[in-house]
Amino acid sequence: MSRHLWIIFGLALASPVCAQTDQPESEVGDTPAPAPTMDHAADAIFDPVLMAAARNTLRHEAGRMTSYSVVFNLAEFRVQRGQDAYRWEGEGWIGGDINRFVLKTEGEGAVGHGVEAGEVRALYSRALDPWFNLQVGVRHDFEPGQPRSYASVGFEGLAPYFVKLEGALFLSDKGDVLARLEGYYDERITQRLILQPRAELNFAAQDVPANGIGSGLSEAELGLRLRYEVRREFAPYVGISWEGKLGDSARFARAAGDRVRATSLVFGVRAWF
């Protein structure tokens, strides 16, 4: 092929590109998207019914599957002046990325004296965004002699700087309004050694003498725990915890002969599966 023919062939190939480049941007993107392809090449070789089932399984496992998890954040023995104690806090959930059923429980007691305070919450959880969930449901306290049920609405999620936050508002069957705000942060010293500061604050809108709760900021707990992840799912820890009753809650505790504040050396395990 002569040199002139090569030049003509090159200009012919370049001309559509130049025409497309000169096209105004306003004329691009107005055409509706084409319908998705519904034929599958594999159906020509394998049984279409089996291939349809395989595609449904793939879609399910790629984002529509039901998952579950059970986590015990705290399961610990507390060494403190006068009377050793124990405490637990955990939750389990089942569902998808958006909608879940969540069951939470926490409580504490003195060694040899049974459970002093405990609660269970059954919640529906709905994702608000990739970081926070809205949670509504019911709470039941099984404190000996003073059982009480509440409606609950709150949130749970991961705040900036990877601070885990949880808050809830409770309305009891007696009309009492309580609230709770808690959070913690995992500072990784190494890949397996983690230092965790932790705080929990409890509030009340009114005095509840039957439960020893005063209005305002009624209780506070601060803790610092160091855990070692033997496996990601199993991590023993040691730490220190301070808890105290404040305001009228402290007055109710003194009147009942209970301690107002306590500092504990804690030993426990964090586990999940």
Side-chain angles (χ1 to χ4, degrees):
M1 186 178 295
S2 67
R3 179 180 179 185
H4 293 87
L5 289 177
W6 278 112
I7 294 175
I8 293 172
F9 182 68
L11 291 174
L13 289 177
S15 58
V17 176
C18 295
Q20 184 177 0
T21 303
D22 296 337
Q23 189 176 10
E25 294 184 359
S26 60
E27 298 180 5
V28 178
D30 295 332
T31 304
T37 303
M38 299 304 293
D39 59 329
H40 303 279
D43 291 354
I45 302 174
F46 303 102
D47 186 341
V49 176
L50 295 179
M51 291 308 303
R55 286 191 290 273
N56 287 332
T57 301
L58 178 62
R59 283 192 290 269
H60 176 76
E61 295 180 348
R64 295 171 55 188
M65 61 188 300
T66 299
S67 304
Y68 69 91
S69 177
V70 177
V71 181
F72 280 95
N73 288 312
L74 301 177
E76 64 189 27
F77 179 77
R78 297 184 159 195
V79 179
Q80 56 191 23
R81 181 178 299 176
Q83 180 66 61
D84 294 336
Y86 58 88
R87 184 187 176 189
W88 78 88
E89 180 182 316
E91 69 175 73
W93 61 263
I94 185 170
D97 294 335
I98 305 299
N99 301 300
R100 294 177 177 177
F101 171 73
V102 182
L103 197 63
K104 298 185 177 183
T105 179
E106 64 178 85
E108 60 185 4
V111 175
H113 292 78
V115 176
E116 293 182 347
E119 67 176 55
V120 174
R121 280 187 280 169
L123 305 167
Y124 163 70
S125 179
R126 170 80 179 182
L128 298 174
D129 58 28
W131 310 106
F132 280 91
N133 298 322
L134 174 68
Q135 297 181 331
V136 297
V138 295
R139 160 187 163 182
H140 181 72
D141 289 3
F142 47 91
E143 183 176 347
Q146 299 293 336
R148 189 159 295 189
S149 297
Y150 301 83
S152 172
V153 58
F155 68 91
E156 182 181 52
L158 193 64
Y161 301 100
F162 299 98
V163 177
K164 181 71 177 294
L165 284 180
E166 180 180 350
L169 188 67
F170 308 107
L171 175 63
S172 78
D173 52 1
K174 306 294 183 182
D176 305 319
V177 178
L178 308 179
R180 179 182 300 157
L181 180 64
E182 57 185 313
Y184 64 81
Y185 173 75
D186 284 345
E187 175 63 39
R188 290 191 173 273
I189 301 173
T190 69
Q191 287 296 317
R192 294 185 180 274
L193 192 64
I194 296 118
L195 184 66
Q196 184 189 82
R198 187 183 191 91
E200 177 179 322
L201 304 175
N202 287 280
F203 305 86
Q206 66 294 299
D207 288 347
V208 188
N211 294 84
I213 300 173
S215 60
L217 178 58
S218 57
E219 293 181 8
E221 179 174 351
L222 304 174
L224 185 66
R225 293 169 175 82
L226 181 67
R227 72 174 186 269
Y228 182 80
E229 293 184 342
V230 179
R231 297 175 60 87
R232 297 303 181 198
E233 301 89 345
F234 182 81
Y237 63 81
V238 62
I240 188 169
S241 176
W242 176 90
E243 59 182 331
K245 299 181 183 297
L246 306 170
D248 288 341
S249 294
R251 180 168 60 84
F252 291 141
R254 292 190 186 96
D258 297 333
R259 288 184 301 180
V260 175
R261 296 177 180 83
T263 302
S264 308
L265 182 64
V266 302
F267 303 90
V269 171
R270 181 182 188 272
W272 62 270
F273 58 90

